């Protein structure tokens, strides 16, 4: 369900709402603008700060009860010592999460001097925190059901520019909601067909051009690498191409590419049973592309963007590819399959080769590609690699602005020996060391015609632990990085 975000300007003490979240930085006196609110709280706000019941630390909260016609409750939320972009998203997300658990339908959010990017970040945070997925639970009768939070009001410092900032926040928030919903949905519901249907819905609402290729069309295009993965599954593979036109016909587009494995069992090189269920998340790169296309279309950015998604599942079966098989990708290169579990790169090979026909100004792909990136960078940073330092730097900066930090790994030619094959142009795995790098070097074989960056999001797209401001589950990564990257390229 969409989340309704709106604006309030003026004294937050006058906002009639069941809950007002007030974000405060650590160890600062209560701002004067909150005098009326403090009064409605009988002075509890200033007392809580003075007596250090509330210090404003990151993730700290304190609930107070008010009287009068304004907010019924006030939730103090800590911003921590250095309130930057990420702190605002985090505080608003925590506020949204608390609000959603309280059984109230609407809430407000205030922080000092909210304007521009801070409004956008607050809106994104409120949406992130309030989101959850209950479609598959049997619901108790309506009378016993806690009401979900469906709306939030951002208290802006002034009306100037606030509408645009809120609109941008809503755009990103809706993109993230699409991506997170696709990510959490089980593989039997979020199938390649469902990915294509989601793309169709986005295309229809925003009048984007949509092309969906099936097995036959891909055969004609010689996509033997993608099809090798898809030959083991009864699911119909979908190659989805979404085109957003925000600039002239002749303007080179940015291409966003996503790995869309709706389930990755490993194939014949089957994965261990323990935690295999997590592999429904192997389409998070693709979900990020669809979410970003939604956000970009809502923002009406003056740039052309193509979203490309390769979607299938990786299954063991009598028709599945086998270790030792050699396949030919659409750019003519041959690949020896050593491990059928390294399937994401096989799908991306043909999708990346296809991207060249758009003569893109830059291509960025996102994929839950390697377990190795989780070893290297954990669940905090995505791995960033590429064939052009300028594009890589733009991605790192975009991730920073969007609170989705990335860290670059090298693509030195020394590593390339690891994917040399005895019989083909390359093999699909590079041995034990540097798994994220050899995977990216494999992809680079299909990106020679353009500037390209690759995001390995295997550690960041889905959180196995509750992160206080965001529950266990899909994080929305890499929607914001994609959107910030594209925004940064609008001339
Ligand atoms: N989808 C996985 C990557 C993955 C693994 C993500 C574990 C999150 C946790 C990918 O298709 C895969 O299986 N990669 C293999 C590659 C290996 C066979 C070279 C991996 O990382 O183990
Ligand atoms: Zn795999
Ligand atoms: Zn995979």
């Amino acid at each position: 369900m969409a989340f309704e975000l709106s604006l309030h300007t003026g004294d937050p003490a006058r906002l009639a709402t069941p809950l007002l979240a007030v974000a405060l930085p650590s160890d600062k006196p209560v701002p004067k603008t909150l005098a009326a609110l403090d009064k409605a709280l009988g002075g509890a706000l200033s007392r809580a700060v003075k007596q250090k019941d509330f210090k404003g630390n990151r993730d700290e909260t304190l609930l107070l009860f008010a009287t009068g016609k304004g907010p019924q409750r006030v939730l103090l939320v800590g911003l921590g010592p250095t309130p930057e972009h990420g702190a605002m998203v985090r505080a608003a997300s925590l506020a949204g999460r608390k609000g959603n658990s309280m059984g109230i339908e609407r809430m407000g959010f205030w922080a000092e001097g909210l304007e521009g990017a801070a409004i956008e970040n607050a809106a994104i945070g409120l949406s992130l925190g309030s989101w959850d997925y209950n479609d598959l639970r049997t619901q108790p009768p309506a009378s016993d059901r806690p009401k979900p939070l469906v709306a939030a009001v951002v208290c802006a410092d002034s009306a100037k520019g606030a509408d645009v900032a809120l609109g941008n926040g809503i755009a990103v928030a809706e993109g993230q909601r699409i991506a997170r919903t696709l990510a959490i949905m089980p593989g039997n519901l979020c199938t390649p067909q469902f990915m294509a249907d989601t793309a169709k819905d986005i295309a229809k609402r925003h009048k984007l051009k949509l092309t969906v290729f099936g097995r036959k069309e891909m055969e004609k295009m010689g996509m033997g690498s993608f099809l090798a993965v898809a030959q083991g599954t009864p699911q119909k593979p979908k190659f989805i191409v979404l085109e957003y036109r925000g600039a002239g016909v002749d303007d080179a587009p940015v291409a966003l590419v996503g790995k869309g494995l709706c389930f990755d069992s490993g194939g014949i090189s089957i994965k261990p049973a323990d935690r295999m269920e997590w592999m429904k998340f192997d389409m998070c790169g693709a979900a990020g592309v669809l979410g970003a296309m939604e956000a970009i279309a809502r923002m009406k950015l003056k740039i052309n963007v193509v979203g490309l998604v390769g979607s299938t599942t990786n299954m063991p079966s009598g028709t599945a590819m086998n270790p030792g098989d050699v396949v030919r990708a659409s750019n003519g290169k041959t690949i020896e399959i050593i491990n059928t579990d390294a399937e994401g790169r096989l799908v991306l090979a043909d999708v990346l080769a296809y991207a060249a026909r758009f003569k893109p100004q830059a291509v960025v792909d996102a994929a839950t590609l390697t377990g190795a990136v989780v070893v290297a960078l954990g669940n905090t940073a995505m791995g960033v690699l590429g064939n052009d330092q300028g594009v890589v730097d733009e991605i790192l900066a975009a991730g920073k602005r969007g609170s989705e930090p990335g860290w670059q790994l090298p693509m030195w030619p020394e590593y390339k020996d690891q994917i040399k094959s005895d019989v083909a142009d390359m093999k699909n795995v590079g041995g034990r060391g540097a798994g994220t790098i050899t995977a990216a070097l494999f992809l680079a074989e299909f990106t020679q015609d353009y500037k390209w960056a690759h995001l390995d999001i295997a550690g960041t797209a889905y959180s196995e632990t509750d992160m206080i401001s965001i529950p266990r589950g899909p994080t929305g990564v890499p929607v914001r990085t994609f959107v910030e990257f594209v925004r940064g390229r609008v001339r």
Side-chain angles (χ1 to χ4, degrees), residues 12-21 66 68-74 104-109 149 151-153 155:
R14 301 181 61 140
L15 181 68
T17 178
L19 175 70
L20 174 70
K69 289 187 183 147
Q72 291 161 27
R73 307 168 185 83
V74 173
I104 50 161
E105 286 175 290
R106 33 193 70 239
M107 67 179 291
F109 182 86
L149 189 75
V153 179
C155 298

Side-chain angles (χ1 to χ4, degrees), residues 259 261 264 271 279 282 314 341 343-344 368-369:
K259 169 180 174 182
L261 266 286
D264 176 15
K271 288 177 181 295
M279 285 301 139
D282 213 16
N314 187 22
D341 197 10
E343 84 299 337
T368 47
L369 203 64

Side-chain angles (χ1 to χ4, degrees), residues 352-440:
L352 287 168
Y354 185 88
R357 75 178 59 193
F358 293 100
K359 305 212 171 354
Q361 51 173 289
V363 178
V364 187
D365 83 78
T368 47
L369 203 64
T370 65
V373 82
V374 191
V375 177
L377 299 171
N379 303 113
T380 301
M382 53 190 176
V384 180
L385 306 96
N387 64 11
D388 182 85
Q389 192 57 40
V391 176
V392 167
D393 287 340
E394 278 176 74
I395 280 291
L396 294 172
K400 212 172 200 176
R401 288 196 297 278
S403 335
E404 295 178 350
W407 196 258
Q408 186 176 9
L409 297 174
M411 293 259 286
W412 295 327
E414 285 82 348
Y415 292 105
K416 230 180 122 176
D417 289 346
Q418 287 178 238
I419 55 168
K420 271 191 185 150
S421 161
D422 293 340
V423 293
D425 295 334
M426 68 197 95
K427 54 184 181 182
N428 79 330
V429 299
R432 278 226 253 165
T436 305
I437 295 170
T438 53

Side-chain angles (χ1 to χ4, degrees), residues 3-13 15-25 34 37 60-61 71 73-79 83-99 104 106-115 117-127 129 149 151-157 166:
F3 186 63
E4 190 190 308
L5 282 154
S6 57
L7 289 166
H8 168 83
T9 43
D11 196 331
L15 181 68
T17 178
L19 175 70
L20 174 70
V22 169
L24 296 169
L34 293 181
L37 186 69
E60 188 184 355
T61 58
R73 307 168 185 83
V74 173
L75 179 74
L76 305 182
V77 189
L79 280 167
E84 26 65 62
H85 291 334
M88 190 63 72
V89 177
R90 194 174 172 119
S93 181
L94 182 53
R97 200 172 170 197
K98 293 259 178 196
I104 50 161
R106 33 193 70 239
M107 67 179 291
F109 182 86
W110 181 93
E112 193 167 29
L114 271 190
E115 57 179 10
I119 292 177
E120 188 178 321
N121 281 311
I124 290 168
L126 287 162
S127 162
L149 189 75
V153 179
V154 178
C155 298
D157 198 41
L166 187 80

Side-chain angles (χ1 to χ4, degrees), residues 279-303:
M279 285 301 139
K280 69 173 182 177
F281 97 127
D282 213 16
M283 32 53 68
C284 281
V289 170
L290 296 180
M293 295 304 286
E294 169 76 23
I296 288 161
R298 277 179 182 258
M299 284 180 179
K300 300 194 164 60
L301 296 181
K302 291 192 169 30
I303 185 168

Side-chain angles (χ1 to χ4, degrees), residues 7 116 119-120 159-171 299 487:
L7 289 166
I119 292 177
E120 188 178 321
K160 197 168 154 257
D163 272 344
V164 175
L166 187 80
N168 288 339
I170 292 171
M299 284 180 179
R487 274 170 116 179

